[in-house]
């Protein structure tokens, strides 16, 4: 499943004419881990995990804030150009 998310996320950036994402499975594993930590240690703003005053090393030492937000904004699970998929079906 993670391999498919990596593939679709990288494909999505090429379809939208953006710079290549170059997402790896290791990075996706790290993103999932960061999201789990964020669920356990809640902060008012996502930037706080990397902020000098409120830095949370279990997250900040794994990935930069810019890379994390870039990956989050480009995560994709299906190929939008696949006509066999109903993109209006949100279930």
């Amino acid at each position: 499943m993670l391999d498919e998310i990596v593939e679709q996320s990288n494909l999505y950036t090429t379809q939208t004419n953006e710079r290549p994402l170059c997402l790896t499975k290791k990075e996706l594993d790290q993103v999932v881990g960061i999201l789990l930590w964020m669920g356990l240690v809640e902060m008012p703003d996502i930037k706080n995990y990397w902020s000098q005053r409120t830095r949370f090393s279990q997250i900040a030492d794994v990935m930069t804030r810019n890379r994390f937000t870039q990956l989050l904004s480009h995560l994709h699970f299906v190929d939008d150009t696949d006509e066999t998929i109903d993109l209006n079906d949100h279930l």
Side-chain angles (χ1 to χ4, degrees):
M1 182 169 112
L2 294 179
D3 290 328
E4 183 68 15
I5 296 170
V6 168
E7 182 180 336
Q8 292 305 323
S9 297
N10 286 325
L11 177 63
Y12 176 68
T13 59
T14 62
Q15 290 172 340
T16 56
N17 297 321
E18 296 182 43
R19 285 187 11 218
L21 188 61
C22 300
L23 175 63
T24 64
K25 187 176 177 196
K26 179 181 177 185
E27 277 187 312
L28 183 57
D29 286 338
Q30 292 170 335
V31 167
V32 170
I34 289 171
L35 291 171
L36 290 172
W37 269 113
M38 288 178 170
L40 294 171
V41 180
E42 295 182 34
M43 292 194 183
D45 191 325
I46 199 168
K47 295 175 185 175
N48 290 17
Y49 295 98
W50 287 270
S51 172
Q52 198 169 29
R53 287 186 58 210
T54 57
R55 187 175 190 278
F56 188 67
S57 63
Q58 288 88 336
I59 290 176
D61 290 346
V62 172
M63 183 178 291
T64 67
R65 183 191 72 199
N66 289 347
R67 181 64 174 165
F68 177 74
T69 56
Q70 177 190 35
L71 295 179
L72 265 189
S73 67
H74 290 89
L75 278 184
H76 227 69
F77 300 88
V78 297
D79 181 356
D80 288 346
T81 63
D82 185 345
E83 295 177 5
T84 64
I85 297 173
D86 182 2
L87 297 176
N88 295 316
D89 183 4
H90 299 289
L91 296 178

